[in-house]
Amino acid sequence: MPFHGQSILPAVRGWKEFDALLASPYDYIVMLDCKLGQLKSIVSEAGRHGKKLLLHADLIDGLNHDEHAAEFLCQSIRPAGIISTRTTVIQKTKQNGLIAIQRMFLLDTGALERGIALAKQNRPDYIEVLPGVIPPIIREVAERTGIPALAGGLIRTEQDVAAALEAGAAAVTTSDRQLWKPFINRKQEE
């Protein structure tokens, strides 16, 4: 079962919110925004608490968002995985054996078709579909690519989470702490 059965991948922006993740019972956690100088401390602290950190490479201040940055993250920082919209970052992450999550922003049909084509070409481990409140599209992305989909963005209620999961999302990424709590017991039951 992906992510140790977690239906929620809790996410935060920045070091100050990071403590909430460390105190949570979730094994996999997501860091959205941080500074380059904080990376080693963040990954180290996550490891000390038994957490597997997924870093959003595109949102790290002070880091170029290319294959060289991905190589640095994979070899020097060593998170559990990397999230990115960039093909070269996804490819380098996979080459280094970390979890590769390609973010797909679905603005229109053209973006959907381009995103599916890129995912088929790159074969990330997961595709994060944004916004995650369009259940039929979550299902379509997973079916057409054969890659598990995550749902993220604009997830505001427990019903949004449930609808995304029912549509086949492997998990839901959210920074809304109120949505972390209802799904803790569901994670522990699995």
Side-chain angles (χ1 to χ4, degrees):
M1 189 151 243
F3 305 109
H4 295 177
Q6 287 181 219
S7 54
I8 292 287
L9 292 174
V12 294
R13 299 182 179 281
W15 184 259
K16 289 182 181 178
E17 296 177 346
F18 189 59
D19 285 341
L21 284 180
L22 296 178
S24 79
Y26 290 106
D27 297 323
Y28 284 87
I29 60 177
V30 178
M31 176 58 81
L32 296 174
D33 295 323
C34 65
K35 295 181 173 106
L36 180 61
Q38 297 172 328
L39 286 177
K40 285 193 178 197
S41 296
I42 288 170
V43 173
S44 173
E45 198 64 19
R48 281 188 345 95
H49 286 82
K51 307 297 183 188
K52 292 167 183 61
L53 187 66
L54 305 170
L55 282 175
H56 193 309
D58 302 353
L59 300 177
I60 298 171
D61 289 338
L63 187 71
N64 197 6
H65 312 297
D66 60 14
E67 69 273 12
H68 304 293
E71 187 76 28
F72 166 75
L73 290 173
C74 291
Q75 304 232 340
S76 297
I77 304 300
R78 300 290 307 160
I82 295 176
I83 303 166
S84 181
T85 59
R86 301 177 190 277
T87 299
T88 56
V89 172
I90 296 300
Q91 291 170 343
K92 192 58 73 173
T93 301
K94 285 187 61 85
Q95 287 172 5
N96 281 278
L98 278 78
I99 299 168
I101 302 172
Q102 181 175 331
R103 255 190 170 189
M104 184 185 296
F105 289 99
L106 301 177
L107 305 172
D108 57 22
T109 302
L112 173 65
E113 294 305 322
R114 284 187 300 279
I116 287 174
L118 281 174
K120 284 181 175 181
Q121 176 185 343
N122 295 328
R123 305 300 306 164
D125 299 303
Y126 297 92
I127 300 168
E128 184 182 22
V129 176
L130 291 104
V133 291
I134 313 171
I137 301 299
I138 295 166
R139 182 176 292 110
E140 180 179 344
V141 168
E143 287 175 356
R144 287 182 58 192
T145 62
I147 300 168
L150 306 175
L154 298 177
I155 304 285
R156 295 180 177 162
T157 67
E158 288 182 47
Q159 292 77 20
D160 291 340
V161 173
L165 295 171
E166 287 171 22
V172 172
T173 60
T174 181
S175 58
D176 184 339
R177 290 184 198 181
Q178 297 307 308
L179 293 177
W180 301 354
K181 294 174 187 173
F183 295 91
I184 290 171
N185 290 337
R186 294 181 200 182
K187 177 233 177 236
Q188 291 172 338
E189 290 170 2
E190 295 180 14

